[in-house]
Amino acid sequence: MSYPGYPPQGGYPPLPPGGANPWGGGPTSYPPVNTLAIGLDNLNLNPPYMAGNPPPGSYPPSGPGGYPPAPGYGAPPGGYGAPPGGYGAPPGQQPPGGYGAQPGQQPPGGYGAPPGQQPPGGYGAPPGQQPPGGYGPPPGQQPPGCYGAPPGQQPGYGMYPQPGGNPPGVQAYPGYPGAPGQTAPVPGQQPAPSYPSGPAVNPSMPAYPQGAPVALSLKALKGGTIRDAPGFDPLKDAEVLRKAMKGFGTDEQAIIECLGSRSNKQRQKIMLSFKTAYGKDLIKDLKSEVSGNFEKTILAMMKTPTQFDASEMYESIKGAGTDEACLIEILSSRTNAEIKEICTIYKSEYKKTLEEHIRKDTSGHFQRLLVSLVQGNRDESANVDITLVKRDAQELYAAGELKVGTDESKFNAILCSRSKPHLRAVFEEYRSMTGREIEKSICREMSGDLESGMVAVVKCVRNTPAYFAERLNKAMRGAGTKDRTLIRIMVSRSEIDMLDIREEYKRMYGKSLYTDISGDTSGDYKKMLLKICGGND
């Protein structure tokens, strides 16, 4: 099928007036007849325009008669579209860098520029050869949010990366060429731009980055003064103790040297070996040979740590009056596993649960504090979430200083459930926020046993060795000595942090724990405590 007048005589497009061929040459139609085929054999691979301005007669022509034709000969709708992909050179014969596009007509991504003439920022690489992340845009034209992140690794829009770098597992990207602190890119490669850094977060506590929990740790503990004795022989030690108690009189020094140099686990083995070898109970023999505070110290050493704690808790509750400080001391300084074992032993030994006895012997918010602690359900992780730290500090402030009256339940919930590293961070945030230590706020807001209990929990969490150093000093201060407290702390901390307690004691009071024990006790009781103390500072 054809349309009248189409195609026009003489070819298409029609010639302009005068018969001038816009492609050069004689007045012929397109494609011209009797002309050479278009191909590399008929192309000048080094035309002058590659080094400067286009020569006369080149495309587009600079003079009259060029393309597009003069007004009156409009191009058909849609223009003269080139075939898909353009008129490319035969495979393998395209010159390096490609043929430069005409001004204003460069396709998206651009063609490669001639060697040595690549514009700043570079043109896009040929399809399938673009490096991961793409080439950077020309300087000054980069859109907000940055280009260049490899697929699947670009951060979410509207969010800053984690302080200190990219998200975990994502490789850091280099910055712009020439940016401060950046190394020069490898020739021929444009590095992907870096992400913009976010603003500083939580300037009040720069040590804890927001979002990602961090692990906090105190100074490493020096440990206890009593450790497993090398070359331990339980049967030989049982024989030593047997000789020390046999016949008239008792060799107390032999007992002190033997038991004071063995760990608790080794003492348990000595008891078993004693009964195996002699058919007698070591505890009963010791009770019959020693007395007073020396006897109490020896018997405390022969119990397992949790057995001793359970007996101390029972002694604190039974009878008239309650030793609230002892209850708080044990419950605030033991681990969850230790507290649960104490409760198990307590129920086995005294036929009622520890919680039942606490509820019977205490009341009010102090009772709630003890009941919360006796659950043994404190978070024991080492990580700290600064967002939660700031929230807890603000809630404690709002529950106390910022309101009329005090929300004791809020203090109870935070102090009894949060991990110790978390609480230490909360105390620092509270001081930074209010200008006051949290202990002082508790003293302003509470009174009586609840005040003492809350302050004890805070002190024990903040610095356990310092807390026990203070407890020991109070036990020996003034008229009389609180021997039960002195014995309990010396025995229970002997294998945990006695060296640290000694250090804190010297720092806090300017004299050694050894010196104060020497001046406040006497006899074999004094010798046993000094053996546990382990030396003078």
Side-chain angles (χ1 to χ4, degrees):
M1 179 178 179
S2 62
Y3 296 93
Y6 185 87
Q9 293 183 354
Y12 185 84
L15 295 177
N21 185 357
W23 304 101
T28 61
S29 60
Y30 184 82
V33 295
N34 299 324
T35 59
L36 293 175
I38 296 176
L40 288 179
D41 294 337
N42 303 295
L43 292 178
N44 183 0
L45 297 182
N46 295 290
Y49 69 84
M50 296 294 286
N53 294 324
S58 64
Y59 177 83
S62 56
Y67 182 83
Y73 296 92
Y80 303 104
Y87 299 104
Q93 299 185 25
Q94 188 173 1
Y99 298 108
Q102 300 304 322
Q105 299 184 17
Q106 186 178 354
Y111 295 118
Q117 298 185 23
Q118 188 173 6
Y123 294 124
Q129 299 183 24
Q130 191 170 4
Y135 293 118
Q141 300 183 22
Q142 187 180 12
C146 303
Y147 294 140
Q153 300 183 16
Q154 189 168 1
Y157 295 111
M159 297 179 64
Y160 290 107
Q162 292 288 345
N166 295 312
V170 179
Q171 183 179 1
Y173 302 112
Y176 296 109
Q182 301 293 338
T183 58
V186 179
Q189 294 183 358
Q190 277 191 301
S194 61
Y195 296 123
S197 59
V201 292
N202 301 312
S204 62
M205 295 192 71
Y208 312 124
Q210 184 176 6
V214 295
L216 298 180
S217 61
L218 290 176
K219 179 182 68 174
L221 294 178
K222 294 181 177 180
T225 53
I226 296 180
R227 298 180 174 88
D228 288 340
F232 171 65
D233 184 347
L235 189 58
K236 183 177 180 180
D237 286 347
E239 184 179 351
V240 169
L241 292 174
R242 172 65 175 165
K243 288 180 179 180
M245 295 182 288
K246 187 178 180 180
F248 294 101
T250 305
D251 187 352
E252 289 87 356
Q253 189 61 38
I255 296 175
I256 292 170
E257 288 299 327
C258 179
L259 298 181
S261 303
R262 306 292 184 266
S263 67
N264 188 270
K265 289 182 179 179
Q266 291 176 334
R267 293 184 211 121
Q268 306 307 311
K269 293 179 180 180
I270 293 172
M271 282 196 298
L272 180 60
S273 295
F274 191 93
K275 183 173 285 189
T276 301
Y278 306 109
K280 301 181 68 176
D281 189 276
L282 177 58
I283 300 299
K284 290 183 178 180
D285 278 10
L286 288 170
K287 282 183 177 182
S288 65
E289 297 294 330
V290 296
S291 61
N293 288 325
F294 180 46
E295 175 192 352
K296 293 177 182 177
T297 306
I298 293 293
L299 296 181
M301 295 172 69
M302 299 309 295
K303 295 177 180 178
T304 67
T306 48
Q307 284 175 340
F308 181 48
D309 285 342
S311 65
E312 286 295 288
M313 297 283 281
Y314 180 73
E315 293 294 328
S316 298
I317 295 174
K318 77 170 187 177
T322 304
D323 187 351
E324 293 86 358
C326 172
L327 300 177
I328 287 291
E329 174 196 306
I330 293 175
L331 293 176
S332 62
S333 61
R334 281 19 174 202
T335 65
N336 290 344
E338 290 169 342
I339 291 174
K340 285 178 168 59
E341 188 175 352
I342 290 169
C343 292
T344 301
I345 294 173
Y346 194 98
K347 175 69 180 295
S348 174
E349 290 288 330
Y350 308 112
K351 311 308 177 188
K352 283 192 176 182
T353 65
L354 177 56
E355 182 176 336
E356 287 177 315
H357 277 173
I358 287 175
R359 290 185 180 277
K360 181 180 178 181
D361 216 59
T362 58
S363 61
H365 288 287
F366 180 66
Q367 179 192 92
R368 297 180 190 177
L369 174 63
L370 293 175
V371 170
S372 295
L373 292 173
V374 85
Q375 304 309 308
N377 196 36
R378 182 186 295 280
D379 176 17
E380 291 185 331
S381 67
N383 293 333
V384 175
D385 184 347
I386 188 55
T387 303
L388 185 58
V389 165
K390 295 177 76 70
R391 190 181 76 186
D392 283 350
Q394 292 166 356
E395 288 183 356
L396 288 174
Y397 188 45
E401 298 277 0
L402 284 185
K403 67 177 297 182
V404 178
T406 306
D407 184 358
E408 294 88 351
S409 296
K410 180 59 66 177
F411 279 81
N412 191 92
I414 292 175
L415 294 180
C416 295
S417 63
R418 301 291 194 240
S419 71
K420 291 185 178 181
H422 175 90
L423 287 176
R424 284 190 282 268
V426 169
F427 300 158
E428 291 303 310
E429 177 65 20
Y430 187 92
R431 180 181 57 80
S432 176
M433 183 173 61
T434 66
R436 181 180 295 116
E437 298 292 353
I438 193 169
E439 295 95 323
K440 293 189 178 297
S441 292
I442 290 173
C443 292
R444 286 159 57 98
E445 297 295 323
M446 304 176 194
S447 61
D449 292 335
L450 179 61
E451 174 193 342
S452 302
M454 290 283 188
V455 169
V457 170
V458 170
K459 288 182 176 180
C460 188
V461 167
R462 189 190 292 277
N463 187 335
T464 303
Y467 166 72
F468 281 112
E470 182 181 358
R471 292 277 294 155
L472 287 170
N473 182 262
K474 288 182 178 180
M476 296 182 285
R477 188 191 308 167
T481 303
K482 297 177 181 177
D483 296 293
R484 187 163 157 261
T485 300
L486 182 58
I487 293 170
R488 179 177 63 252
I489 296 176
M490 294 299 295
V491 171
S492 65
R493 311 307 295 186
S494 61
E495 298 182 36
I496 302 174
D497 54 3
M498 182 55 66
L499 290 173
D500 304 276
I501 293 172
R502 281 168 43 181
E503 181 180 304
E504 291 295 332
Y505 196 98
K506 183 69 175 288
R507 179 185 65 82
M508 295 166 67
Y509 303 107
K511 51 185 176 179
S512 69
L513 176 60
Y514 190 97
T515 300
D516 276 359
I517 291 175
S518 298
D520 218 60
T521 58
S522 60
D524 295 324
Y525 171 48
K526 167 184 171 180
K527 293 177 183 178
M528 189 76 253
L529 291 181
L530 293 179
K531 181 69 175 178
I532 296 173
C533 184
N536 198 358
D537 297 309

